[in-house]
Amino acid sequence: MAASSADDVELRRACAAAIGGGGSKENIVLAIRVAKGHGILEKLGRVAKPRVLALTTAKNSSKGQSAKAFLRVLKYSSGGVLEPAKLYKLKHLTKVEVVSNDPTGCTFILGFDNLRSQSVTPPQWTVRNIDDRNRLLLFILNMCKEILGRIPKFVGIDVVEMAIWVKENTPTVNSQGNIQDGPAASVMMQRDLKVTVEKDLVSQAEEEDMEALLGTYVMGIGEAEAFSERLKRELLALEAANVHALLESESLIEEVLQGLEAASVCVNDMDEWLRIFNVKLRHMREDIESIESRNNKLEMQSTSNNSLLDELDKLLERLRIPSEFAASLTGGSFDEARMLKNVEACEWLTGAIRSLEVPNLDPCYANMRAVKEKQAELEKLKNTFVRRASEFLRNYFFSLVDFMISDKSYFSQRGQLKRPDHADLRYKCRTYARLLQHLKSLDKNCLGPLRKAYCHSLNLLLRREAREFANELRASTKASRNPTVWLESSTGSSQTGNSTDTSTVSEAYSKMLTIFIPLLVDESSFFAHFMCFEVPAFVPPGAPANGTKNGSDGNDANGDDLSFMDSDANGNNSSELGTLNEALQDLLDGIQEDFYAVVDWAYKIDPLCCISMHGITERYLSGQKADAAGFVRKLLDDLESKISTQFGRFVDEACHQIERNERNIRQMGVLSYIPRFATLATRMEQYIQGHSRDLVDQAYTKLVSTMFATLEKIAQSDPKYADIVLLANYAAFQNSLYDLANVVPTLAKSYHQASEAYEQACTRHINMIIYVMGIYAC
């Protein structure tokens, strides 16, 4: 077989050097240059990679002398030197397929059964010509036969063409290269090349058998006319023999005919009997079918009757009202000890009503008279229980609150401020929380009157607690009244300089909010959950309502055992939230009057307390973010507006006091309200808390504007000394506000405004002096 240019001695030596470098003792049988591709890559313009396929064998020392066959893939490094890339064992080779898309037939695929990912397309190997392909595939075939004892599956390869190619190329085998590579490889090469067409198609023994078989059918056929004459003679002889035989057997034929007639009579009789039996059997079959049909109908009827009885038993079980539940629903007590039985009765009633509705009940039962009667009976039970439970709860709320109002120990008394404690009230109400939930599921309309009754009763308690607490708070706070006239000229200097500390008034207001704002938020939250409003929680669990909530309050609604109430995932429903806010208005309405009374009381003692009260209110207001606590936020908004209004009255009055200085036209020197404003501003800065800075800055702006406008009017009343009056007062304003202007941005602007006005007045006065001196000089 002629050696291909793809397989030469140098190539095998290079492969041996690449493989032997790792200490491998393998004999290279064949090495051939190929191109590696994947089909789709070449369509995308990718170039196939050059590779070398080498068939090798190795002795297995651990298992005697049995050899192993390998297929090695070698690639070229960046320096053009071969190096091992992959190693395949021929025992895993299952298929050799020639790619049909290649018209040259030089591209093939080797399929192995031990690849990690069978979903990945195996590589395609392309040789230079058909001879190289046939040599490689022939070597693979022979190695698999000799070493492995089996051959892989060949697809797309003509075996006859392969055998012819082997026969044509066998005489030109060159075995020198094999001798140089070693005796093992040479023997393998010579042995593998002895392949013939007969070995792959028909063996010699089979061919000899076929020739012997065909020899038995030799009939000595020569000329066609002689053969035809022979056949005619044999046919005439055969006909003559048949006629002679018939004439000799006439008596036998008559006997046979008589026997046939007798047999025909018997057959006719038998046929008649069979017809009779067939008719009888048909009638019997019809009778059996009729009996089986009736039997099947009876069995079906029996089964249907049993199923019907079972269904009726189940329906009767649904329609049956347990006596203990009927007693609880119609006349049972609502005491705390019997609430568990009442709740169980409610749960049964709810389930019974739902079980008789069409989604849970087969529609064929919906129109039955018994079902309709039972539905009416359950509806009557429901109405009776809802009426009794609603009446009990209304009376219970009223009696519970009335008991607390009649006990003075629940409220603040003279000399003792009492923090409202509703823990016992809520504990008693929680006893009936599950009852309210079931009432809602039975009749949603019954909650309206119950909510109104609860709001009316609790509103009386909250207003009484707020009134008593506010009265005692004002009575227990000791603070002397500060003057409300700060900037009027007739006021003595001792009146503004000796103002007393009124921080206790602000502390009293803060205490009022600290006690009652969390209480109102908690009451709102408890009311929403207790009365089954489907809204989210007001305040997240554990979060204070105002940022400074005292944990010892004991009135946290989040701790209430109302976890059984399933809140709607979209509970922020506008209609439900509107109903809740209306109910909260009824619950808390009127309590704002006591807060207003505390604000008015604090204003009368010291108007500047409005600054600190405004900051306190703003801090509480920023903590109320939940939509459901709308009334509490509205209350704080109203308080903030009232405090701002009161402080605005004080600022307006101060402006009027400044404007009264215009009446005293003949004023020289520093006006009285200039230093008094500095004292007032210092005092106002002491009251600033939280977000009250804007309120004070607005007051500063209005007062300074009024002061400067009044100063300009007074200075213009005497043009001769106008600049002197302005210089003195602006200088006094700057001196008195120098320290405050460094820390208060608004006063810093006023300070710069006064400085500019001072410079302008100074410039005018100097120009006037120069002008007068010029006249005297003339």
Side-chain angles (χ1 to χ4, degrees):
M1 188 179 299
S4 173
S5 60
D7 175 33
D8 53 24
V9 177
E10 295 298 330
L11 181 61
R12 288 199 297 274
R13 289 177 180 174
C15 293
I19 298 173
S24 176
K25 297 181 180 180
E26 298 180 11
N27 296 322
I28 299 178
V29 179
L30 175 69
I32 191 167
R33 292 185 177 91
V34 297
K36 177 184 177 181
H38 285 83
I40 186 69
L41 298 178
E42 285 70 16
K43 293 181 180 179
L44 297 176
R46 301 283 291 272
V47 180
K49 301 176 182 179
R51 292 289 186 268
V52 175
L53 295 181
L55 292 173
T56 64
T57 61
K59 295 292 184 177
N60 190 350
S61 59
S62 62
K63 297 181 181 179
Q65 296 298 322
S66 60
K68 289 187 176 180
F70 303 99
L71 174 65
R72 283 186 173 271
V73 181
L74 296 93
K75 65 180 181 180
Y76 290 95
S77 63
S78 58
V81 180
L82 286 176
E83 59 183 16
K86 286 187 178 181
L87 174 64
Y88 299 99
K89 294 181 179 181
L90 286 185
K91 68 179 183 179
H92 295 296
L93 181 63
T94 59
K95 182 176 70 172
V96 178
E97 180 180 359
V98 175
V99 178
S100 59
N101 295 334
D102 187 2
T104 63
C106 296
T107 303
F108 58 91
I109 298 173
L110 299 178
F112 294 87
D113 60 359
N114 63 338
L115 295 181
R116 294 182 180 177
S117 178
Q118 296 293 338
S119 61
V120 178
T121 304
Q124 297 179 1
W125 308 100
T126 304
V127 295
R128 300 182 180 183
N129 49 49
I130 293 295
D131 292 340
D132 289 347
R133 185 204 71 180
N134 291 342
R135 289 181 68 244
L136 178 61
L137 299 185
L138 180 62
F139 272 79
I140 292 175
L141 174 65
N142 291 333
M143 290 179 70
C144 290
K145 284 182 181 180
E146 297 296 332
I147 298 176
L148 305 177
R150 63 173 183 82
I151 61 174
K153 180 181 179 181
F154 283 83
V155 180
I157 302 174
D158 190 350
V159 180
V160 176
E161 180 185 349
M162 280 283 294
I164 295 174
W165 180 88
V166 172
K167 189 174 182 181
E168 291 175 355
N169 291 272
T170 297
T172 60
V173 173
N174 184 9
S175 60
Q176 293 179 0
N178 292 333
I179 296 174
Q180 294 176 1
D181 292 341
S186 177
V187 172
M188 174 64 75
M189 181 70 75
Q190 295 295 337
R191 184 178 62 216
D192 293 340
L193 293 179
K194 294 178 181 179
V195 181
T196 60
V197 177
E198 292 83 356
K199 187 174 182 179
D200 290 329
L201 297 178
V202 181
S203 64
Q204 184 67 28
E206 292 175 344
E207 183 177 356
E208 293 175 355
D209 292 341
M210 291 175 64
E211 291 178 356
L213 181 62
L214 291 175
T216 59
Y217 289 94
V218 176
M219 295 177 293
I221 301 175
E223 296 294 333
E225 295 180 358
F227 181 66
S228 178
E229 290 295 333
R230 175 183 172 184
L231 290 179
K232 289 180 180 179
R233 290 194 301 268
E234 291 180 356
L235 178 60
L236 292 174
L238 180 61
E239 290 179 351
N242 289 337
V243 172
H244 180 71
L246 289 174
L247 293 175
E248 289 180 352
S249 59
E250 181 178 359
S251 59
L252 297 176
I253 292 173
E254 290 179 356
E255 293 179 3
V256 171
L257 291 176
Q258 292 176 1
L260 289 175
E261 290 178 0
S264 175
V265 173
C266 291
V267 169
N268 291 332
D269 294 340
M270 184 64 69
D271 181 61
E272 188 66 25
W273 280 104
L274 288 176
R275 289 181 182 181
I276 295 172
F277 288 142
N278 188 26
V279 173
K280 292 183 178 181
L281 288 175
R282 185 172 65 251
H283 291 314
M284 291 177 65
R285 186 166 54 252
E286 291 175 356
D287 295 339
I288 292 172
E289 290 177 355
S290 177
I291 293 172
E292 288 180 351
S293 177
R294 289 196 299 270
N295 187 33
N296 292 335
K297 290 180 180 179
L298 290 175
E299 290 181 358
M300 184 181 298
Q301 185 177 2
S302 177
T303 304
S304 301
N305 290 336
N306 292 333
S307 300
L308 179 60
L309 289 176
D310 293 339
E311 291 295 326
L312 290 176
D313 290 338
K314 294 178 182 178
L315 183 60
L316 289 175
E317 184 64 25
R318 287 187 181 183
L319 300 179
R320 189 180 67 86
I321 300 177
S323 58
E324 63 274 14
F325 291 156
S328 298
L329 293 172
T330 55
S333 173
F334 289 97
D335 294 338
E336 183 176 352
R338 289 187 53 84
M339 278 310 300
L340 182 59
K341 293 184 178 180
N342 289 330
V343 169
E344 291 177 354
C346 286
E347 292 175 350
W348 174 87
L349 181 59
T350 303
I353 293 176
R354 291 177 179 175
S355 65
L356 295 182
E357 295 175 352
V358 171
N360 300 318
L361 182 68
D362 196 321
C364 63
Y365 297 148
N367 295 325
M368 293 179 64
R369 186 177 65 181
V371 173
K372 291 184 178 180
E373 291 177 354
K374 190 56 62 175
Q375 287 176 342
E377 185 177 356
L378 292 177
E379 188 71 19
K380 184 178 179 181
L381 270 179
K382 182 191 75 172
N383 295 334
T384 302
F385 179 77
V386 169
R387 176 180 52 78
R388 291 177 57 251
S390 300
E391 183 178 357
F392 167 79
L393 289 174
R394 286 196 298 269
N395 296 332
Y396 181 76
F397 295 150
F398 176 77
S399 62
L400 191 60
V401 173
D402 185 64
F403 172 77
M404 295 180 67
I405 291 178
S406 62
D407 190 353
K408 295 183 178 181
S409 62
Y410 281 101
F411 308 102
S412 300
Q413 301 178 16
R414 183 176 297 277
Q416 180 184 5
L417 279 174
K418 179 73 174 180
R419 179 190 295 270
D421 186 5
H422 293 179
D424 186 60
L425 172 66
R426 293 177 185 173
Y427 174 78
K428 294 180 179 179
C429 289
R430 280 199 301 271
T431 305
Y432 300 95
R434 296 185 64 187
L435 178 62
L436 280 172
Q437 184 71 11
H438 288 294
L439 287 177
K440 178 183 178 181
S441 63
L442 290 174
D443 186 4
K444 201 170 186 178
N445 296 326
C446 73
L447 290 181
L450 288 177
R451 291 168 178 172
K452 289 184 178 296
Y454 180 85
C455 291
H456 177 71
S457 300
L458 195 62
N459 179 262
L460 297 176
L461 177 63
L462 290 173
R463 292 180 64 181
R464 173 74 179 276
E465 289 173 340
R467 184 171 63 254
E468 297 293 341
F469 189 88
N471 292 338
E472 181 57 28
L473 186 66
R474 293 195 297 269
S476 61
T477 302
K478 305 298 182 182
S480 59
R481 181 171 298 183
N482 271 344
T484 58
V485 180
W486 285 80
L487 304 177
E488 193 169 1
S489 60
S490 60
T491 305
S493 60
S494 61
Q495 187 174 0
T496 59
N498 297 326
S499 57
T500 59
D501 184 16
T502 58
S503 59
T504 55
V505 176
S506 300
E507 293 175 358
Y509 176 76
S510 178
K511 184 180 294 185
M512 183 77 176
L513 294 185
T514 302
I515 297 298
F516 278 92
I517 293 302
L519 175 65
L520 297 181
V521 172
D522 291 344
E523 285 298 332
S524 301
S525 178
F526 177 81
F527 173 74
H529 286 78
F530 180 60
M531 286 298 172
C532 308
F533 284 95
E534 295 178 353
V535 293
F538 300 165
V539 182
N546 57 356
T548 59
K549 183 176 176 181
N550 192 346
S552 62
D553 188 1
N555 294 328
D556 187 8
N558 295 317
D560 295 337
D561 185 16
L562 299 175
S563 59
F564 66 91
M565 298 169 58
D566 293 330
S567 178
D568 185 9
N570 298 322
N572 195 7
N573 186 286
S574 58
S575 61
E576 188 77 0
L577 194 58
T579 305
L580 174 59
N581 286 328
E582 292 177 2
L584 291 178
Q585 183 72 25
D586 297 337
L587 177 67
L588 306 176
D589 190 29
I591 198 173
Q592 65 270 21
E593 301 299 331
D594 297 295
F595 288 90
Y596 296 159
V598 174
V599 172
D600 295 338
W601 164 75
Y603 178 79
K604 290 178 182 178
I605 293 178
D606 186 3
L608 297 183
C609 288
C610 293
I611 300 174
S612 59
M613 290 191 298
H614 184 276
I616 295 170
T617 307
E618 182 65 27
R619 185 175 72 250
Y620 276 87
L621 186 60
S622 62
Q624 305 302 319
K625 298 299 183 183
D627 293 337
F631 181 84
V632 177
R633 193 173 64 256
K634 184 176 182 299
L635 171 62
L636 292 172
D637 283 335
D638 294 343
L639 283 174
E640 187 180 29
S641 299
K642 185 172 181 62
I643 293 171
S644 300
T645 302
Q646 295 281 40
F647 187 70
R649 287 175 51 194
F650 167 74
V651 173
D652 292 340
E653 182 61 27
C655 291
H656 292 321
Q657 295 171 13
I658 295 172
E659 292 171 351
R660 291 193 191 102
N661 287 273
E662 296 181 25
R663 300 174 184 176
N664 189 3
I665 298 177
R666 297 293 181 180
Q667 295 192 40
M668 298 298 291
V670 179
L671 299 178
S672 60
Y673 61 77
I674 296 296
R676 291 175 183 172
F677 174 74
T679 304
L680 175 62
T682 303
R683 188 63 182 272
M684 290 172 66
E685 288 296 321
Q686 297 174 358
Y687 283 89
I688 293 179
Q689 294 186 17
H691 298 79
S692 57
R693 165 58 63 186
D694 294 340
L695 183 69
V696 175
D697 288 344
Q698 293 174 4
Y700 285 157
T701 303
K702 187 172 184 178
L703 288 173
V704 170
S705 299
T706 305
M707 288 169 57
F708 288 172
T710 303
L711 176 61
E712 293 289 341
K713 291 180 181 179
I714 293 175
Q716 295 301 325
S717 64
D718 189 359
K720 182 177 180 180
Y721 299 100
D723 293 331
I724 297 176
V725 172
L726 293 176
L727 287 172
N729 284 274
Y730 282 130
F733 182 84
Q734 294 180 66
N735 292 334
S736 61
L737 288 181
Y738 178 78
D739 294 332
L740 287 177
N742 289 328
V743 295
V744 182
T746 302
L747 292 180
K749 294 180 182 179
S750 302
Y751 182 90
H752 292 304
Q753 183 180 355
S755 177
E756 293 176 358
Y758 177 83
E759 291 177 359
Q760 294 174 2
C762 183
T763 301
R764 289 195 303 269
H765 185 64
I766 291 173
N767 292 334
M768 179 61 68
I769 292 175
I770 293 172
Y771 176 76
V772 172
M773 290 179 65
I775 293 176
Y776 285 129
C778 295

